[in-house]
Amino acid sequence: MKNIAVFVSGYGTNLQAMINRIAKGTLRVNLKLVLSDKSSAFALRRAKKAGIPAFFVDPKKFTHKNDYEHHLISLLEDEKIDFIVLAGFMRILGPVFLKKYKNRILNIHPALLPAFKGAHAIHDAYEYGAKVTGVTVHFVDEKIDNGPIIMQEVVSVGDHETMSQLEKRIHKVEHGIYSEAIQKVCDNRFSIRGRRVVLRAKIR
Ligand code: GRF
């Protein structure tokens, strides 16, 4: 089984969904480490409650971004981490980190990329009047919300739906699709051809 680390900054419902699936045996990975750039992240408490080593690494303690990232890398190397899963991690990773973990960092975005990039994707799609939006899981590259797409799922927007109803439905989709994508990547059932990620079914 592959070793993964989850990076968080906030509430951690995606992290919780992974923890629950691992407990049920439907996500087969070793979740070895949770790292947060925010001391107040509720996700840290979720991890600790599940018995997963979880740490706040304060970026302000490092003079340069590179030093911060070298420190993160050393923590990941100690645990022999294969893949990094960003789950509401609000920090942009720099070249040092991206080079080291090329095509081994996953992110989830609550819209159908390349539409509605940025930190307020659900709100932006709703306000735009989009009839469909959704969820994207992608590899992370040097541009924001840009790397090769691993999986996407469409969520239609009801004409009379409120923003918070839509938000709830999108999060529910996130909690399923993220584990599915993580499993495929960790089982090495993918290849990357240019921007295209080709997924393979499980051989039984
Ligand atoms: C999710 O909507 C995810 O798509 C985005 O940040 C949010 C994190 O939510 N990248 P949570 O902390 O997992 O509840």
Side-chain angles (χ1 to χ4, degrees), residues 129-164:
K131 296 292 186 193
V132 292
T133 181
V135 175
T136 303
V137 180
H138 64 95
F139 286 111
V140 174
D141 68 6
E142 63 287 347
K143 294 189 191 142
I144 296 169
D145 298 331
N146 179 75
I149 292 170
I150 303 166
M151 288 179 83
Q152 287 186 306
E153 193 167 326
V154 172
V155 175
S156 56
V157 184
D159 287 346
H160 305 289
E161 189 166 29
T162 65
M163 178 39 210
S164 83

mmCIF file of all heavy atoms in Angstrom, residues 129-164:
data_model
loop_
_atom_site.group_PDB
_atom_site.id
_atom_site.type_symbol
_atom_site.label_atom_id
_atom_site.label_comp_id
_atom_site.label_asym_id
_atom_site.label_seq_id
_atom_site.Cartn_x
_atom_site.Cartn_y
_atom_site.Cartn_z
ATOM 1 N N GLY A 129 -24.585 31.886 -12.720
ATOM 2 C CA GLY A 129 -25.800 31.286 -13.263
ATOM 3 C C GLY A 129 -25.529 30.007 -14.040
ATOM 4 O O GLY A 129 -26.343 29.605 -14.889
ATOM 5 N N ALA A 130 -24.395 29.373 -13.738
ATOM 6 C CA ALA A 130 -24.069 28.123 -14.437
ATOM 7 C C ALA A 130 -25.157 27.083 -14.183
ATOM 8 O O ALA A 130 -25.674 26.991 -13.064
ATOM 9 C CB ALA A 130 -22.710 27.603 -13.956
ATOM 10 N N LYS A 131 -25.514 26.328 -15.214
ATOM 11 C CA LYS A 131 -26.519 25.259 -15.064
ATOM 12 C C LYS A 131 -25.865 23.969 -14.596
ATOM 13 O O LYS A 131 -26.514 23.108 -14.028
ATOM 14 C CB LYS A 131 -27.244 25.008 -16.395
ATOM 15 C CG LYS A 131 -28.058 26.193 -16.868
ATOM 16 C CD LYS A 131 -29.255 26.456 -15.950
ATOM 17 C CE LYS A 131 -30.135 27.547 -16.521
ATOM 18 N NZ LYS A 131 -31.104 28.037 -15.516
ATOM 19 N N VAL A 132 -24.580 23.832 -14.923
ATOM 20 C CA VAL A 132 -23.816 22.711 -14.384
ATOM 21 C C VAL A 132 -22.495 23.216 -13.818
ATOM 22 O O VAL A 132 -21.902 24.157 -14.330
ATOM 23 C CB VAL A 132 -23.509 21.601 -15.429
ATOM 24 C CG1 VAL A 132 -24.759 20.871 -15.857
ATOM 25 C CG2 VAL A 132 -22.760 22.156 -16.615
ATOM 26 N N THR A 133 -22.090 22.579 -12.743
ATOM 27 C CA THR A 133 -20.751 22.814 -12.211
ATOM 28 C C THR A 133 -20.273 21.441 -11.756
ATOM 29 O O THR A 133 -20.695 20.438 -12.339
ATOM 30 C CB THR A 133 -20.755 23.915 -11.127
ATOM 31 O OG1 THR A 133 -19.427 24.103 -10.663
ATOM 32 C CG2 THR A 133 -21.676 23.619 -9.960
ATOM 33 N N GLY A 134 -19.436 21.351 -10.748
ATOM 34 C CA GLY A 134 -19.005 20.017 -10.349
ATOM 35 C C GLY A 134 -17.735 20.014 -9.535
ATOM 36 O O GLY A 134 -17.443 20.978 -8.818
ATOM 37 N N VAL A 135 -16.995 18.922 -9.693
ATOM 38 C CA VAL A 135 -15.789 18.703 -8.886
ATOM 39 C C VAL A 135 -14.685 18.173 -9.805
ATOM 40 O O VAL A 135 -14.951 17.366 -10.689
ATOM 41 C CB VAL A 135 -16.075 17.664 -7.770
ATOM 42 C CG1 VAL A 135 -14.807 17.333 -7.001
ATOM 43 C CG2 VAL A 135 -17.160 18.174 -6.827
ATOM 44 N N THR A 136 -13.476 18.645 -9.576
ATOM 45 C CA THR A 136 -12.307 18.192 -10.344
ATOM 46 C C THR A 136 -11.217 17.719 -9.391
ATOM 47 O O THR A 136 -10.884 18.419 -8.434
ATOM 48 C CB THR A 136 -11.727 19.358 -11.194
ATOM 49 O OG1 THR A 136 -12.761 19.873 -12.045
ATOM 50 C CG2 THR A 136 -10.541 18.906 -12.023
ATOM 51 N N VAL A 137 -10.656 16.551 -9.661
ATOM 52 C CA VAL A 137 -9.439 16.116 -8.961
ATOM 53 C C VAL A 137 -8.321 16.158 -9.996
ATOM 54 O O VAL A 137 -8.472 15.638 -11.106
ATOM 55 C CB VAL A 137 -9.575 14.688 -8.390
ATOM 56 C CG1 VAL A 137 -8.289 14.288 -7.670
ATOM 57 C CG2 VAL A 137 -10.768 14.587 -7.445
ATOM 58 N N HIS A 138 -7.233 16.820 -9.656
ATOM 59 C CA HIS A 138 -6.159 16.998 -10.639
ATOM 60 C C HIS A 138 -4.788 16.926 -9.979
ATOM 61 O O HIS A 138 -4.664 17.102 -8.758
ATOM 62 C CB HIS A 138 -6.335 18.346 -11.364
ATOM 63 C CG HIS A 138 -6.200 19.552 -10.467
ATOM 64 N ND1 HIS A 138 -5.024 20.241 -10.323
ATOM 65 C CD2 HIS A 138 -7.097 20.169 -9.643
ATOM 66 C CE1 HIS A 138 -5.207 21.243 -9.471
ATOM 67 N NE2 HIS A 138 -6.452 21.224 -9.041
ATOM 68 N N PHE A 139 -3.782 16.668 -10.812
ATOM 69 C CA PHE A 139 -2.411 16.776 -10.321
ATOM 70 C C PHE A 139 -2.064 18.252 -10.212
ATOM 71 O O PHE A 139 -2.594 19.083 -10.961
ATOM 72 C CB PHE A 139 -1.434 16.077 -11.278
ATOM 73 C CG PHE A 139 -1.503 14.577 -11.202
ATOM 74 C CD1 PHE A 139 -2.004 13.829 -12.262
ATOM 75 C CD2 PHE A 139 -1.074 13.906 -10.063
ATOM 76 C CE1 PHE A 139 -2.078 12.445 -12.194
ATOM 77 C CE2 PHE A 139 -1.146 12.518 -9.981
ATOM 78 C CZ PHE A 139 -1.649 11.788 -11.042
ATOM 79 N N VAL A 140 -1.152 18.545 -9.299
ATOM 80 C CA VAL A 140 -0.773 19.945 -9.076
ATOM 81 C C VAL A 140 0.482 20.251 -9.888
ATOM 82 O O VAL A 140 1.453 19.484 -9.849
ATOM 83 C CB VAL A 140 -0.516 20.188 -7.571
ATOM 84 C CG1 VAL A 140 0.023 21.595 -7.332
ATOM 85 C CG2 VAL A 140 -1.808 19.964 -6.786
ATOM 86 N N ASP A 141 0.436 21.341 -10.643
ATOM 87 C CA ASP A 141 1.655 21.818 -11.305
ATOM 88 C C ASP A 141 1.910 23.265 -10.882
ATOM 89 O O ASP A 141 1.313 23.747 -9.913
ATOM 90 C CB ASP A 141 1.575 21.622 -12.827
ATOM 91 C CG ASP A 141 0.541 22.516 -13.490
ATOM 92 O OD1 ASP A 141 -0.042 23.380 -12.795
ATOM 93 O OD2 ASP A 141 0.313 22.359 -14.712
ATOM 94 N N GLU A 142 2.786 23.946 -11.613
ATOM 95 C CA GLU A 142 3.226 25.273 -11.156
ATOM 96 C C GLU A 142 2.155 26.359 -11.279
ATOM 97 O O GLU A 142 2.282 27.425 -10.672
ATOM 98 C CB GLU A 142 4.543 25.694 -11.845
ATOM 99 C CG GLU A 142 4.495 25.872 -13.352
ATOM 100 C CD GLU A 142 4.418 24.550 -14.122
ATOM 101 O OE1 GLU A 142 4.646 23.473 -13.530
ATOM 102 O OE2 GLU A 142 4.111 24.603 -15.320
ATOM 103 N N LYS A 143 1.103 26.089 -12.045
ATOM 104 C CA LYS A 143 0.028 27.094 -12.148
ATOM 105 C C LYS A 143 -1.148 26.697 -11.248
ATOM 106 O O LYS A 143 -1.362 25.509 -11.003
ATOM 107 C CB LYS A 143 -0.443 27.201 -13.593
ATOM 108 C CG LYS A 143 0.617 27.761 -14.523
ATOM 109 C CD LYS A 143 0.018 28.039 -15.894
ATOM 110 C CE LYS A 143 1.102 28.327 -16.897
ATOM 111 N NZ LYS A 143 0.796 27.740 -18.210
ATOM 112 N N ILE A 144 -1.907 27.688 -10.837
ATOM 113 C CA ILE A 144 -3.000 27.415 -9.898
ATOM 114 C C ILE A 144 -4.187 26.749 -10.603
ATOM 115 O O ILE A 144 -4.622 27.220 -11.664
ATOM 116 C CB ILE A 144 -3.431 28.726 -9.200
ATOM 117 C CG1 ILE A 144 -2.257 29.240 -8.351
ATOM 118 C CG2 ILE A 144 -4.663 28.527 -8.326
ATOM 119 C CD1 ILE A 144 -2.452 30.630 -7.828
ATOM 120 N N ASP A 145 -4.704 25.675 -9.985
ATOM 121 C CA ASP A 145 -5.871 24.946 -10.500
ATOM 122 C C ASP A 145 -5.688 24.586 -11.973
ATOM 123 O O ASP A 145 -6.582 24.785 -12.799
ATOM 124 C CB ASP A 145 -7.163 25.792 -10.338
ATOM 125 C CG ASP A 145 -7.449 26.095 -8.872
ATOM 126 O OD1 ASP A 145 -7.070 25.300 -8.008
ATOM 127 O OD2 ASP A 145 -8.072 27.143 -8.593
ATOM 128 N N ASN A 146 -4.542 24.034 -12.293
ATOM 129 C CA ASN A 146 -4.182 23.866 -13.704
ATOM 130 C C ASN A 146 -3.735 22.472 -14.125
ATOM 131 O O ASN A 146 -3.879 22.110 -15.291
ATOM 132 C CB ASN A 146 -3.070 24.869 -14.036
ATOM 133 C CG ASN A 146 -2.609 24.779 -15.452
ATOM 134 O OD1 ASN A 146 -3.304 25.223 -16.361
ATOM 135 N ND2 ASN A 146 -1.456 24.164 -15.677
ATOM 136 N N GLY A 147 -3.202 21.672 -13.236
ATOM 137 C CA GLY A 147 -2.526 20.432 -13.649
ATOM 138 C C GLY A 147 -3.455 19.430 -14.316
ATOM 139 O O GLY A 147 -4.676 19.604 -14.343
ATOM 140 N N PRO A 148 -2.878 18.340 -14.884
ATOM 141 C CA PRO A 148 -3.670 17.320 -15.583
ATOM 142 C C PRO A 148 -4.818 16.776 -14.721
ATOM 143 O O PRO A 148 -4.642 16.484 -13.543
ATOM 144 C CB PRO A 148 -2.636 16.221 -15.867
ATOM 145 C CG PRO A 148 -1.330 16.934 -15.901
ATOM 146 C CD PRO A 148 -1.432 18.054 -14.920
ATOM 147 N N ILE A 149 -5.963 16.650 -15.378
ATOM 148 C CA ILE A 149 -7.194 16.262 -14.665
ATOM 149 C C ILE A 149 -7.267 14.744 -14.508
ATOM 150 O O ILE A 149 -7.165 13.997 -15.492
ATOM 151 C CB ILE A 149 -8.422 16.804 -15.424
ATOM 152 C CG1 ILE A 149 -8.443 18.334 -15.326
ATOM 153 C CG2 ILE A 149 -9.715 16.194 -14.881
ATOM 154 C CD1 ILE A 149 -9.458 19.011 -16.232
ATOM 155 N N ILE A 150 -7.460 14.302 -13.270
ATOM 156 C CA ILE A 150 -7.557 12.866 -12.981
ATOM 157 C C ILE A 150 -9.015 12.409 -13.101
ATOM 158 O O ILE A 150 -9.320 11.427 -13.754
ATOM 159 C CB ILE A 150 -6.993 12.567 -11.576
ATOM 160 C CG1 ILE A 150 -5.544 13.062 -11.461
ATOM 161 C CG2 ILE A 150 -7.077 11.068 -11.262
ATOM 162 C CD1 ILE A 150 -5.004 13.130 -10.042
ATOM 163 N N MET A 151 -9.914 13.110 -12.455
ATOM 164 C CA MET A 151 -11.338 12.767 -12.515
ATOM 165 C C MET A 151 -12.177 14.033 -12.392
ATOM 166 O O MET A 151 -11.756 14.986 -11.735
ATOM 167 C CB MET A 151 -11.723 11.816 -11.364
ATOM 168 C CG MET A 151 -11.203 10.407 -11.516
ATOM 169 S SD MET A 151 -11.671 9.366 -10.118
ATOM 170 C CE MET A 151 -13.306 8.897 -10.593
ATOM 171 N N GLN A 152 -13.362 14.000 -12.994
ATOM 172 C CA GLN A 152 -14.326 15.092 -12.803
ATOM 173 C C GLN A 152 -15.710 14.499 -12.647
ATOM 174 O O GLN A 152 -16.001 13.439 -13.197
ATOM 175 C CB GLN A 152 -14.340 16.034 -14.016
ATOM 176 C CG GLN A 152 -13.114 16.915 -14.110
ATOM 177 C CD GLN A 152 -13.186 17.935 -15.214
ATOM 178 O OE1 GLN A 152 -13.430 17.572 -16.367
ATOM 179 N NE2 GLN A 152 -12.966 19.190 -14.902
ATOM 180 N N GLU A 153 -16.542 15.193 -11.909
ATOM 181 C CA GLU A 153 -17.943 14.771 -11.803
ATOM 182 C C GLU A 153 -18.831 16.010 -11.900
ATOM 183 O O GLU A 153 -18.553 17.040 -11.279
ATOM 184 C CB GLU A 153 -18.168 14.039 -10.472
ATOM 185 C CG GLU A 153 -19.502 13.317 -10.446
ATOM 186 C CD GLU A 153 -19.622 12.324 -9.293
ATOM 187 O OE1 GLU A 153 -18.608 11.690 -8.911
ATOM 188 O OE2 GLU A 153 -20.742 12.215 -8.762
ATOM 189 N N VAL A 154 -19.871 15.874 -12.679
ATOM 190 C CA VAL A 154 -20.780 17.000 -12.923
ATOM 191 C C VAL A 154 -21.831 17.081 -11.818
ATOM 192 O O VAL A 154 -22.340 16.067 -11.355
ATOM 193 C CB VAL A 154 -21.475 16.822 -14.297
ATOM 194 C CG1 VAL A 154 -22.561 17.867 -14.505
ATOM 195 C CG2 VAL A 154 -20.450 16.875 -15.418
ATOM 196 N N VAL A 155 -22.134 18.301 -11.407
ATOM 197 C CA VAL A 155 -23.257 18.553 -10.488
ATOM 198 C C VAL A 155 -24.134 19.592 -11.172
ATOM 199 O O VAL A 155 -23.648 20.679 -11.526
ATOM 200 C CB VAL A 155 -22.756 19.100 -9.125
ATOM 201 C CG1 VAL A 155 -23.924 19.484 -8.227
ATOM 202 C CG2 VAL A 155 -21.853 18.085 -8.430
ATOM 203 N N SER A 156 -25.400 19.264 -11.393
ATOM 204 C CA SER A 156 -26.259 20.265 -12.033
ATOM 205 C C SER A 156 -26.798 21.226 -10.975
ATOM 206 O O SER A 156 -26.965 20.853 -9.812
ATOM 207 C CB SER A 156 -27.386 19.594 -12.809
ATOM 208 O OG SER A 156 -28.096 18.758 -11.942
ATOM 209 N N VAL A 157 -27.052 22.446 -11.416
ATOM 210 C CA VAL A 157 -27.506 23.469 -10.482
ATOM 211 C C VAL A 157 -29.019 23.647 -10.664
ATOM 212 O O VAL A 157 -29.473 23.995 -11.756
ATOM 213 C CB VAL A 157 -26.792 24.821 -10.739
ATOM 214 C CG1 VAL A 157 -27.201 25.857 -9.693
ATOM 215 C CG2 VAL A 157 -25.275 24.639 -10.771
ATOM 216 N N GLY A 158 -29.768 23.395 -9.602
ATOM 217 C CA GLY A 158 -31.228 23.538 -9.680
ATOM 218 C C GLY A 158 -31.619 25.013 -9.787
ATOM 219 O O GLY A 158 -30.984 25.873 -9.175
ATOM 220 N N ASP A 159 -32.670 25.285 -10.576
ATOM 221 C CA ASP A 159 -33.085 26.682 -10.779
ATOM 222 C C ASP A 159 -33.480 27.368 -9.471
ATOM 223 O O ASP A 159 -33.338 28.580 -9.325
ATOM 224 C CB ASP A 159 -34.272 26.736 -11.750
ATOM 225 C CG ASP A 159 -33.820 26.452 -13.175
ATOM 226 O OD1 ASP A 159 -32.594 26.488 -13.417
ATOM 227 O OD2 ASP A 159 -34.685 26.177 -14.021
ATOM 228 N N HIS A 160 -34.000 26.594 -8.548
ATOM 229 C CA HIS A 160 -34.477 27.200 -7.295
ATOM 230 C C HIS A 160 -33.584 26.848 -6.110
ATOM 231 O O HIS A 160 -33.961 27.044 -4.961
ATOM 232 C CB HIS A 160 -35.924 26.761 -7.040
ATOM 233 C CG HIS A 160 -36.831 27.082 -8.190
ATOM 234 N ND1 HIS A 160 -37.204 28.369 -8.498
ATOM 235 C CD2 HIS A 160 -37.365 26.301 -9.143
ATOM 236 C CE1 HIS A 160 -37.956 28.357 -9.591
ATOM 237 N NE2 HIS A 160 -38.073 27.103 -10.001
ATOM 238 N N GLU A 161 -32.424 26.333 -6.413
ATOM 239 C CA GLU A 161 -31.516 25.893 -5.350
ATOM 240 C C GLU A 161 -30.802 27.087 -4.714
ATOM 241 O O GLU A 161 -30.450 28.053 -5.397
ATOM 242 C CB GLU A 161 -30.483 24.963 -6.003
ATOM 243 C CG GLU A 161 -29.608 24.241 -5.026
ATOM 244 C CD GLU A 161 -28.854 23.100 -5.684
ATOM 245 O OE1 GLU A 161 -28.563 23.167 -6.888
ATOM 246 O OE2 GLU A 161 -28.562 22.137 -4.948
ATOM 247 N N THR A 162 -30.590 27.014 -3.403
ATOM 248 C CA THR A 162 -29.806 28.074 -2.753
ATOM 249 C C THR A 162 -28.329 27.711 -2.862
ATOM 250 O O THR A 162 -27.972 26.553 -3.113
ATOM 251 C CB THR A 162 -30.163 28.212 -1.257
ATOM 252 O OG1 THR A 162 -29.777 27.000 -0.599
ATOM 253 C CG2 THR A 162 -31.642 28.477 -1.036
ATOM 254 N N MET A 163 -27.509 28.702 -2.618
ATOM 255 C CA MET A 163 -26.055 28.520 -2.670
ATOM 256 C C MET A 163 -25.624 27.445 -1.659
ATOM 257 O O MET A 163 -24.803 26.593 -1.949
ATOM 258 C CB MET A 163 -25.503 29.892 -2.352
ATOM 259 C CG MET A 163 -24.120 30.209 -2.244
ATOM 260 S SD MET A 163 -22.887 29.608 -3.239
ATOM 261 C CE MET A 163 -21.664 29.698 -1.961
ATOM 262 N N SER A 164 -26.249 27.476 -0.476
ATOM 263 C CA SER A 164 -25.795 26.525 0.548
ATOM 264 C C SER A 164 -26.255 25.093 0.229
ATOM 265 O O SER A 164 -25.559 24.140 0.551
ATOM 266 C CB SER A 164 -26.196 26.977 1.958
ATOM 267 O OG SER A 164 -27.489 26.605 2.245
#
